[in-house]
């Protein structure tokens, strides 16, 4: 019988074949766990205690960081989509209604068509040059529009680029006038005066203001006119020149 504490000598070779876990293996496993690369850090350290069991979920710091970045990117993308959606929504109450900005829409629409008919180059500088020419010949409310956009020599403000730049990109004149309205509300308050049918109207029943307006539309003045009759006489003199059809239809000339 073997002595106490000696153990069974036949088991000794088997015990010697089992290598104990050394300190380096333990430190690797510990470092892996400490660095977030152990059981909860993706792949464990090289020690036996650091191996991840098959089927066990990974709670790694690397995967967690990537997930956080992914979630942040998704939130940013969603915010961008929401902002774009708001920009694309129609602006309530901003669109022009029928009859709004009639002088602006009519004058710029006619001007735009003249650019196309004359094969003018659609650049901001070329458009501004042609607009200044058109405004020199503009009368009445259209001349006032030119003043508001800075296309006359005595204009106080210059926003002519708000017409030339968008028109160079063929933006509809309604949209151009809508933007001009935000710059100066007076632009869209301009309305054409009610047209007078000179072929049938009784000039004696018109007010002096209306008679003066007829002459203004023709670019004429009545120098030395004081009484209503003076204005009527001047209109009769100029009607064959500016309104020949109306003059031919009248019997009092």
């Amino acid at each position: 019988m073997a002595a106490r504490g000696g153990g069974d000598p036949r088991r000794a070779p088997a015990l010697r074949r089992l290598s104990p876990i050394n300190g380096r293996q333990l430190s690797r496993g510990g470092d892996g766990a400490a660095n977030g690369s152990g059981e909860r850090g993706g792949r464990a350290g090289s020690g036996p205690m650091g191996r991840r069991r098959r089927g066990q979920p990974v709670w790694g710091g690397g995967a967690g960081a990537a997930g956080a970045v992914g979630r942040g990117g998704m939130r940013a993308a969603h915010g961008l989509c929401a902002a774009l959606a708001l920009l694309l929504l129609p602006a309530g109450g901003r669109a022009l209604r029928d009859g709004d900005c009639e002088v602006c829409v009519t004058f710029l629409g006619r001007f735009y068509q003249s650019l196309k008919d004359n094969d003018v180059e659609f650049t901001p500088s070329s458009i501004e040059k042609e607009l200044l020419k058109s405004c020199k010949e503009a009368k009445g409310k259209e001349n006032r529009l030119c003043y508001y956009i800075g296309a006359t020599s005595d204009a106080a403000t210059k926003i002519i680029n708000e017409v030339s730049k968008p028109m160079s990109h063929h933006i509809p004149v309604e949209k151009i006038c809508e933007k001009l309205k935000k710059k100066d509300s007076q632009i869209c308050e301009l309305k054409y005066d009610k047209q007078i049918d000179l072929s049938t109207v009784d000039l004696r029943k018109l007010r002096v203001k209306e008679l003066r307006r007829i002459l203004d539309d023709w670019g004429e003045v009545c120098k030395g006119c004081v009484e209503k009759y003076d204005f009527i006489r001047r209109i009769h003199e100029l009607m064959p020149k500016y309104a020949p059809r109306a003059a031919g239809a009248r019997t009092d000339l």
Side-chain angles (χ1 to χ4, degrees):
M1 182 174 182
R4 181 179 298 177
D8 189 350
R10 291 174 298 180
R11 299 179 58 188
L15 291 174
R16 282 195 297 270
R17 286 194 297 270
L18 297 175
S19 59
I21 300 173
N22 54 39
R24 182 177 299 176
Q25 290 173 321
L26 287 175
S27 65
R28 290 179 190 171
D31 290 343
N35 293 328
S37 61
E39 288 185 0
R40 296 188 179 183
R43 180 173 176 80
S46 58
M49 296 181 65
R51 294 193 183 94
R52 180 171 58 87
R53 296 178 183 177
R54 180 177 298 176
Q56 184 176 356
V58 177
W59 304 91
V69 173
R71 288 191 295 272
M74 291 179 65
R75 285 194 295 268
H78 290 161
L80 179 60
C81 291
L84 290 174
L86 289 175
L87 290 175
L88 294 175
L89 285 175
R94 293 183 182 178
L96 295 182
R97 296 174 296 179
D98 291 340
D100 285 351
C101 301
E102 67 173 1
V103 175
C104 179
V105 172
T106 302
F107 178 76
L108 292 185
R110 188 170 66 248
F111 171 69
Y112 174 77
Q113 187 60 44
S114 69
L115 296 178
K116 294 175 64 178
D117 294 342
N118 296 319
D119 296 325
V120 177
E121 185 180 6
F122 273 82
T123 61
S125 58
S126 298
I127 292 173
E128 287 185 16
K129 183 179 179 180
E130 294 297 323
L131 183 57
L132 291 173
K133 290 181 181 179
S134 296
C135 283
K136 284 183 179 180
E137 301 175 358
K139 305 294 182 182
K141 298 299 178 65
E142 293 183 350
N143 179 263
R144 178 56 54 178
L145 170 67
C146 291
Y147 173 81
Y148 287 150
I149 64 178
T152 59
S153 58
D154 60 341
T157 58
K158 298 288 184 181
I159 56 173
I160 191 173
N161 62 309
E162 298 291 343
V163 176
S164 60
K165 187 175 180 179
M167 189 169 286
S168 68
H169 297 289
H170 302 277
I171 301 298
V173 294
E174 291 82 4
K175 292 296 182 182
I176 296 176
C177 293
E178 183 178 336
K179 190 172 181 180
L180 289 173
K181 181 180 180 181
K182 299 176 184 177
K183 297 288 184 179
D184 189 346
S185 61
Q186 297 179 97
I187 290 175
C188 280
E189 292 174 359
L190 293 173
K191 293 184 179 297
Y192 289 110
D193 296 320
K194 185 178 180 181
Q195 295 298 313
I196 298 174
D197 187 357
L198 293 176
S199 62
T200 59
V201 67
D202 187 350
L203 296 176
R204 295 171 300 178
K205 294 182 178 180
L206 298 179
R207 294 177 296 175
V208 172
K209 180 180 179 180
E210 294 172 313
L211 296 173
R212 192 189 303 273
R213 194 181 75 214
I214 293 173
L215 294 173
D216 288 342
D217 291 341
W218 292 345
E220 297 286 350
V221 294
C222 190
K223 293 181 180 180
C225 296
V226 179
E227 302 294 333
K228 178 187 287 189
Y229 174 79
D230 297 330
F231 287 94
I232 294 176
R233 178 177 50 82
R234 182 61 174 163
I235 291 173
H236 283 171
E237 293 174 355
L238 296 172
M239 191 177 297
K241 177 181 178 181
Y242 293 101
R245 292 184 179 179
R250 299 184 69 92
T251 59
D252 57 348
L253 293 180

